[in-house]
Amino acid sequence: KEGLQLLIRENDGAATTVSGMLRTMSATSGEDLAQFERWYSHAGTPTVTIKQSHSADSNALRIHFKQHPSSSPFTSSSAGPLHIPLSLALLSSSGEVLQDKINIHLRQWEEAIEVEGVPADSVLSVRGFTAPVQVDFGEEG
């Protein structure tokens, strides 16, 4: 909200660029948003593969994420990975919400997180605001 207000105040009656908007939002949020500009050099819709595995010893769920650029001939992985925000929830096998918001910011081709205290039969669900990506829930590993 603060970033948008500053952007409007600084550019009232004038045009701005996406780069200018990202700089303003970055300055007010303290987040480095430069990687978002890569979205403009990628054609098509990227895919994020999500695989999960459960450790009975630690009762933890390991979630592995992998970015795949679109297969468009106008997209090159040499531009680097995208900054992809994802919002997930963990549900029990009966559909009860165990954790409502797990917000992830993918910035690498592959990343993994662990969530402690999760039953083995938990199910991941994409929720709320998420980048425009295709999500492939790969087989459990």
Side-chain angles (χ1 to χ4, degrees):
K1 183 177 176 180
E2 187 180 323
L4 184 57
Q5 289 173 341
L6 179 60
L7 184 70
I8 291 169
R9 205 169 38 248
E10 289 181 345
N11 296 284
D12 190 21
T16 188
T17 63
V18 171
S19 296
M21 179 195 69
L22 288 173
R23 276 192 304 277
T24 301
M25 296 297 183
S26 184
T28 56
S29 70
E31 292 282 328
D32 180 4
L33 301 176
Q35 196 173 3
F36 270 114
E37 288 191 73
R38 291 183 185 162
W39 280 91
Y40 294 96
S41 63
H42 285 255
T45 304
T47 299
V48 174
T49 301
I50 301 175
K51 294 183 181 181
Q52 62 187 58
S53 60
H54 189 270
S55 169
D57 295 338
S58 63
N59 203 32
L61 179 68
R62 181 171 174 79
I63 308 169
H64 181 263
F65 303 90
K66 185 173 182 178
Q67 292 189 37
H68 307 274
S70 78
S71 58
S72 166
F74 302 106
T75 296
S76 168
S77 61
S78 64
L82 298 170
H83 180 168
I84 300 177
L86 291 174
S87 185
L88 304 171
L90 269 172
L91 309 175
S92 70
S93 59
S94 63
E96 176 188 349
V97 177
L98 301 174
Q99 288 191 23
D100 191 31
K101 290 235 181 195
I102 302 173
N103 293 319
I104 309 293
H105 286 264
L106 303 178
R107 292 183 173 96
Q108 304 297 321
W109 288 115
E110 293 189 53
E111 296 183 48
I113 63 166
E114 279 199 13
V115 182
E116 308 260 336
V118 177
D121 60 352
S122 298
V123 177
L124 279 171
S125 172
V126 177
R127 296 288 175 98
F129 175 76
T130 295
V133 297
Q134 295 176 9
V135 177
D136 175 19
F137 286 97
E139 294 182 30
E140 293 186 26

